[in-house]
Amino acid sequence: MRIRTALAGVCILVLSSIGFAAPAHAAESIGSCVVDVSMQVEELREQGLSDYEIENELESQAEACVEAPNPVLPDPVELIWITIAFSVLLVLGLKFAFPAVSKAMEDRSERIRSDLEAAEKAKEDAQAEQARYKESLADAKGEANRIIEEARLAAEALRAERTTAADAEAADIRAKANADAESIKAQALADLREEVTAIALGAAERVVGNIDTAAQRRLIDDYIDQVGSQN
Amino acid sequence: MADERVAVAYADALYTVTRVEGNVERVEDELFRIARALESSDELRSALAQQQTPAARRQQIVEDLLGSAADPTTVAIISLLVGVGRSAELPAIIDAFVERAARESGRLVATVRAAVALTDEQQNRLAAALSAQLGHDVTVKVIVDPSVLGGVVTQIGDTVIDGSIRHRLNQLREAI
């Protein structure tokens, strides 16, 4: 807003200077100059000049009229007006426009500086954030590696434990199977022995059961003799 | 223990009665045989112990079985015990009776089991051998028991002299 106000003031001052300078250029023309010169004849006569002198004077003034103005050097009057206008404009500019422009420039510089500082700070923040990110990434990688290592160790321990348990179980099963086999074998032997014994004793009983009375008497006599011999 | 005391009490009372009658030896021998017969016959033991059967009926069975073959004192004793419901304790009472009789006469009773009956000569020889071994007169009571298979098993009190084939077979079974 201030910049706009300052620019408007400058435009007004330039247009005003152009307006003031315009009458200076409109004061002179060849026609009016010649008329002015011709009207000076009487004045020159009254001054007592001779016709020849008057003619020379008029001729010189007329030549001055037709003489072209200097394209580089302004008209002195115009130059004065321009100087005055410029001075006014300079004063006004220094008074109003320059502080506003200067302040706007300072503000802009300050804003740019603050923007640059903000950008620098943002860059530093970004770099710090990046560093933190890298650090956290490194930590995460380290943590991940640690977790993986722990998981590997745990898996290894579990595998070893299960292997040991499986070996122990297999050993128990083998031992039990061996014990069962031994037990079955012993039982089979015992059954066989018992059966053989039963068969043998059954045969013996059948033989004994068929002994005649005379043999029975002899057995009784032997018994009595045995009892009698123990006296 | 209570049954044993009851058996001893009955045996003492019956022995006293029998001694008064003066035929202790015969009654003792008959009672011994009846006791062994009861032990070997479940049917007879069940018939005499049947509580549903009236006592008079059971006593009639005893008299029918023994009849005139046994001494009247023996029949009276068995009939009395069956009548008072002591059929189950009959063998124990009779054994106590036999022990009491042997004790009164200064003898020991040897229960001899054999697959066949011993001859009188064998019984005398065995009684003499046992008497010489034990230092007491011994009366031999023979029980024919086929389960002995052969030989003899003698029991005197708590002493057992087993010379049976059954015992030898059992020893053989244990050895095998």
Side-chain angles (χ1 to χ4, degrees):
Chain A
M1 191 64 183
R2 288 181 178 178
I3 293 173
R4 289 179 181 177
T5 304
L7 290 176
V10 170
C11 289
I12 292 171
L13 290 175
V14 170
L15 290 175
S16 300
S17 65
I18 293 173
F20 283 128
H25 291 288
E28 295 296 335
S29 68
I30 295 175
S32 61
C33 184
V34 171
V35 171
D36 290 340
V37 170
S38 63
M39 289 178 67
Q40 289 178 356
V41 174
E42 292 300 326
E43 291 179 3
L44 294 172
R45 281 180 179 168
E46 289 178 355
Q47 290 177 2
L49 295 178
S50 63
D51 291 339
Y52 177 72
E53 290 172 347
I54 295 171
E55 186 179 353
N56 289 336
E57 182 66 23
L58 291 174
E59 185 179 3
S60 61
Q61 290 187 8
E63 287 178 352
C65 288
V66 296
E67 187 175 339
N70 192 326
V72 178
L73 295 176
D75 185 70
V77 177
E78 187 179 5
L79 185 62
I80 291 170
W81 277 109
I82 287 173
T83 302
I84 293 171
F86 180 77
S87 299
V88 171
L89 288 175
L90 181 62
V91 169
L92 290 175
L94 291 174
K95 180 68 174 177
F96 298 106
F98 181 73
V101 172
S102 176
K103 189 172 187 310
M105 292 298 292
E106 288 179 358
D107 291 345
R108 184 172 177 81
S109 298
E110 183 65 25
R111 190 167 62 252
I112 289 171
R113 186 167 54 252
S114 65
D115 289 344
L116 287 174
E117 289 175 358
E120 185 66 23
K121 187 173 184 307
K123 180 181 177 183
E124 291 176 354
D125 292 344
Q127 288 177 344
E129 185 66 24
Q130 184 182 17
R132 283 196 299 275
Y133 171 74
K134 287 182 179 178
E135 184 178 358
S136 62
L137 185 62
D139 292 342
K141 285 183 178 178
E143 182 69 12
N145 290 331
R146 187 185 62 78
I147 291 172
I148 290 172
E149 183 63 18
E150 288 181 357
R152 189 184 66 78
L153 292 175
E156 185 68 22
L158 183 61
R159 186 185 68 79
E161 180 182 352
R162 292 196 173 174
T163 301
T164 304
D167 290 343
E169 187 176 1
D172 288 344
I173 291 173
R174 281 197 297 273
K176 188 174 184 303
N178 290 333
D180 290 345
E182 289 295 328
S183 176
I184 291 171
K185 180 182 175 183
Q187 184 62 43
L189 287 174
D191 292 344
L192 180 60
R193 186 180 297 115
E194 187 174 350
E195 190 169 352
V196 170
T197 303
I199 292 173
L201 293 177
E205 287 182 7
R206 281 194 297 275
V207 171
V208 172
N210 292 329
I211 61 177
D212 55 15
T213 304
Q216 292 282 7
R217 304 284 183 206
R218 282 196 299 274
L219 288 173
I220 294 171
D221 288 337
D222 292 342
Y223 175 81
I224 295 171
D225 293 341
Q226 185 179 357
V227 172
S229 66
Q230 292 177 353
N231 294 330
Chain B
M1 183 63 74
D3 291 342
E4 186 178 353
R5 284 203 302 270
V6 170
V8 170
Y10 270 102
D12 290 344
L14 294 173
Y15 175 76
T16 303
V17 172
T18 305
R19 191 176 61 183
V20 171
E21 293 292 334
N23 51 356
V24 172
E25 187 172 352
R26 182 182 177 187
V27 172
E28 176 190 348
D29 187 63
E30 289 176 349
L31 288 176
F32 183 83
R33 294 177 188 276
I34 291 170
R36 303 291 81 79
L38 280 172
E39 285 179 344
S40 61
S41 174
D42 293 339
E43 187 179 1
L44 178 59
R45 193 164 59 249
S46 175
L48 294 180
Q50 191 66 259
Q51 293 297 326
Q52 286 80 0
T53 304
R57 174 64 183 149
R58 284 180 278 151
Q59 289 173 327
Q60 185 61 47
I61 292 173
V62 170
E63 292 173 1
D64 291 343
L65 284 174
L66 299 178
S68 57
D71 189 275
T73 305
T74 303
V75 176
I77 290 173
I78 299 300
S79 179
L80 170 68
L81 293 175
V82 170
V84 297
R86 294 291 179 181
S87 301
E89 293 88 354
L90 256 176
I93 293 171
I94 291 173
D95 287 343
F97 181 96
V98 172
E99 286 185 13
R100 172 67 189 277
R103 190 167 61 249
E104 290 295 330
S105 62
R107 295 177 289 111
L108 294 176
V109 177
T111 302
V112 175
R113 295 177 183 274
V116 295
L118 275 66
T119 63
D120 291 340
E121 186 269 338
Q122 286 175 326
Q123 290 189 34
N124 292 333
R125 282 177 54 212
L126 181 57
L130 292 172
S131 296
Q133 185 175 6
L134 300 175
H136 283 280
D137 289 339
V138 175
T139 299
V140 173
K141 301 291 185 182
V142 178
I143 301 171
V144 177
D145 185 357
S147 67
V148 175
L149 294 178
V152 178
V153 180
T154 301
Q155 180 175 2
I156 304 171
D158 295 332
T159 303
V160 177
I161 305 171
D162 197 341
S164 66
I165 299 297
R166 168 64 61 194
H167 178 61
R168 292 177 184 174
L169 286 176
N170 288 338
Q171 287 180 325
L172 179 62
R173 188 193 310 275
E174 293 299 325
I176 293 175

PDB file of all heavy atoms in Angstrom, chain A residues 65-77:
ATOM      1  N   CYS A  65      15.196  35.788 -35.168  1.00  0.00           N
ATOM      2  CA  CYS A  65      13.905  35.084 -35.106  1.00  0.00           C
ATOM      3  C   CYS A  65      13.904  33.795 -35.886  1.00  0.00           C
ATOM      4  O   CYS A  65      13.313  32.787 -35.475  1.00  0.00           O
ATOM      5  CB  CYS A  65      12.778  36.001 -35.616  1.00  0.00           C
ATOM      6  SG  CYS A  65      12.359  37.334 -34.490  1.00  0.00           S
ATOM      7  N   VAL A  66      14.541  33.891 -37.118  1.00  0.00           N
ATOM      8  CA  VAL A  66      14.513  32.692 -37.936  1.00  0.00           C
ATOM      9  C   VAL A  66      15.603  31.698 -37.521  1.00  0.00           C
ATOM     10  O   VAL A  66      15.633  30.551 -37.977  1.00  0.00           O
ATOM     11  CB  VAL A  66      14.677  33.054 -39.429  1.00  0.00           C
ATOM     12  CG1 VAL A  66      13.508  33.894 -39.903  1.00  0.00           C
ATOM     13  CG2 VAL A  66      15.973  33.786 -39.655  1.00  0.00           C
ATOM     14  N   GLU A  67      16.493  32.262 -36.688  1.00  0.00           N
ATOM     15  CA  GLU A  67      17.542  31.329 -36.243  1.00  0.00           C
ATOM     16  C   GLU A  67      16.917  30.200 -35.381  1.00  0.00           C
ATOM     17  O   GLU A  67      16.173  30.455 -34.478  1.00  0.00           O
ATOM     18  CB  GLU A  67      18.595  32.095 -35.423  1.00  0.00           C
ATOM     19  CG  GLU A  67      19.796  31.258 -35.067  1.00  0.00           C
ATOM     20  CD  GLU A  67      20.852  32.179 -34.349  1.00  0.00           C
ATOM     21  OE1 GLU A  67      20.787  33.427 -34.535  1.00  0.00           O
ATOM     22  OE2 GLU A  67      21.685  31.627 -33.610  1.00  0.00           O
ATOM     23  N   ALA A  68      17.254  28.887 -35.723  1.00  0.00           N
ATOM     24  CA  ALA A  68      16.637  27.715 -35.017  1.00  0.00           C
ATOM     25  C   ALA A  68      17.114  27.631 -33.570  1.00  0.00           C
ATOM     26  O   ALA A  68      18.286  27.920 -33.279  1.00  0.00           O
ATOM     27  CB  ALA A  68      17.044  26.437 -35.730  1.00  0.00           C
ATOM     28  N   PRO A  69      16.207  27.254 -32.653  1.00  0.00           N
ATOM     29  CA  PRO A  69      16.620  27.110 -31.241  1.00  0.00           C
ATOM     30  C   PRO A  69      17.568  25.922 -31.044  1.00  0.00           C
ATOM     31  O   PRO A  69      17.533  24.946 -31.795  1.00  0.00           O
ATOM     32  CB  PRO A  69      15.303  26.841 -30.496  1.00  0.00           C
ATOM     33  CG  PRO A  69      14.393  26.253 -31.506  1.00  0.00           C
ATOM     34  CD  PRO A  69      14.780  26.854 -32.843  1.00  0.00           C
ATOM     35  N   ASN A  70      18.420  26.006 -29.981  1.00  0.00           N
ATOM     36  CA  ASN A  70      19.378  24.905 -29.676  1.00  0.00           C
ATOM     37  C   ASN A  70      18.631  23.672 -29.185  1.00  0.00           C
ATOM     38  O   ASN A  70      17.885  23.719 -28.228  1.00  0.00           O
ATOM     39  CB  ASN A  70      20.323  25.380 -28.576  1.00  0.00           C
ATOM     40  CG  ASN A  70      21.516  24.414 -28.413  1.00  0.00           C
ATOM     41  OD1 ASN A  70      21.381  23.210 -28.595  1.00  0.00           O
ATOM     42  ND2 ASN A  70      22.658  25.003 -28.105  1.00  0.00           N
ATOM     43  N   PRO A  71      18.839  22.558 -29.918  1.00  0.00           N
ATOM     44  CA  PRO A  71      18.066  21.345 -29.523  1.00  0.00           C
ATOM     45  C   PRO A  71      18.559  20.753 -28.231  1.00  0.00           C
ATOM     46  O   PRO A  71      17.859  19.954 -27.616  1.00  0.00           O
ATOM     47  CB  PRO A  71      18.324  20.365 -30.689  1.00  0.00           C
ATOM     48  CG  PRO A  71      19.623  20.799 -31.271  1.00  0.00           C
ATOM     49  CD  PRO A  71      19.720  22.298 -31.125  1.00  0.00           C
ATOM     50  N   VAL A  72      19.748  21.119 -27.810  1.00  0.00           N
ATOM     51  CA  VAL A  72      20.278  20.528 -26.570  1.00  0.00           C
ATOM     52  C   VAL A  72      19.963  21.408 -25.371  1.00  0.00           C
ATOM     53  O   VAL A  72      19.402  20.941 -24.389  1.00  0.00           O
ATOM     54  CB  VAL A  72      21.796  20.307 -26.695  1.00  0.00           C
ATOM     55  CG1 VAL A  72      22.345  19.745 -25.383  1.00  0.00           C
ATOM     56  CG2 VAL A  72      22.109  19.404 -27.856  1.00  0.00           C
ATOM     57  N   LEU A  73      20.309  22.636 -25.466  1.00  0.00           N
ATOM     58  CA  LEU A  73      20.108  23.528 -24.333  1.00  0.00           C
ATOM     59  C   LEU A  73      18.666  23.988 -24.288  1.00  0.00           C
ATOM     60  O   LEU A  73      18.133  24.417 -25.291  1.00  0.00           O
ATOM     61  CB  LEU A  73      21.046  24.717 -24.431  1.00  0.00           C
ATOM     62  CG  LEU A  73      22.535  24.403 -24.326  1.00  0.00           C
ATOM     63  CD1 LEU A  73      23.332  25.686 -24.532  1.00  0.00           C
ATOM     64  CD2 LEU A  73      22.841  23.806 -22.974  1.00  0.00           C
ATOM     65  N   PRO A  74      18.019  23.863 -23.173  1.00  0.00           N
ATOM     66  CA  PRO A  74      16.635  24.335 -23.058  1.00  0.00           C
ATOM     67  C   PRO A  74      16.624  25.843 -22.953  1.00  0.00           C
ATOM     68  O   PRO A  74      17.659  26.481 -22.712  1.00  0.00           O
ATOM     69  CB  PRO A  74      16.164  23.634 -21.766  1.00  0.00           C
ATOM     70  CG  PRO A  74      17.394  23.443 -20.966  1.00  0.00           C
ATOM     71  CD  PRO A  74      18.514  23.275 -21.935  1.00  0.00           C
ATOM     72  N   ASP A  75      15.433  26.249 -23.068  1.00  0.00           N
ATOM     73  CA  ASP A  75      15.242  27.692 -22.922  1.00  0.00           C
ATOM     74  C   ASP A  75      15.517  28.034 -21.478  1.00  0.00           C
ATOM     75  O   ASP A  75      15.165  27.279 -20.563  1.00  0.00           O
ATOM     76  CB  ASP A  75      13.784  28.017 -23.285  1.00  0.00           C
ATOM     77  CG  ASP A  75      13.561  29.526 -23.261  1.00  0.00           C
ATOM     78  OD1 ASP A  75      14.097  30.215 -24.138  1.00  0.00           O
ATOM     79  OD2 ASP A  75      12.882  29.954 -22.276  1.00  0.00           O
ATOM     80  N   PRO A  76      16.185  29.143 -21.251  1.00  0.00           N
ATOM     81  CA  PRO A  76      16.521  29.477 -19.856  1.00  0.00           C
ATOM     82  C   PRO A  76      15.324  29.553 -18.946  1.00  0.00           C
ATOM     83  O   PRO A  76      15.349  29.074 -17.807  1.00  0.00           O
ATOM     84  CB  PRO A  76      17.244  30.827 -20.013  1.00  0.00           C
ATOM     85  CG  PRO A  76      17.796  30.808 -21.384  1.00  0.00           C
ATOM     86  CD  PRO A  76      16.822  30.091 -22.237  1.00  0.00           C
ATOM     87  N   VAL A  77      14.291  30.164 -19.476  1.00  0.00           N
ATOM     88  CA  VAL A  77      13.076  30.266 -18.632  1.00  0.00           C
ATOM     89  C   VAL A  77      12.533  28.872 -18.306  1.00  0.00           C
ATOM     90  O   VAL A  77      12.181  28.531 -17.172  1.00  0.00           O
ATOM     91  CB  VAL A  77      12.022  31.130 -19.364  1.00  0.00           C
ATOM     92  CG1 VAL A  77      10.739  31.177 -18.550  1.00  0.00           C
ATOM     93  CG2 VAL A  77      12.566  32.512 -19.597  1.00  0.00           C
TER      94      VAL A  77
END
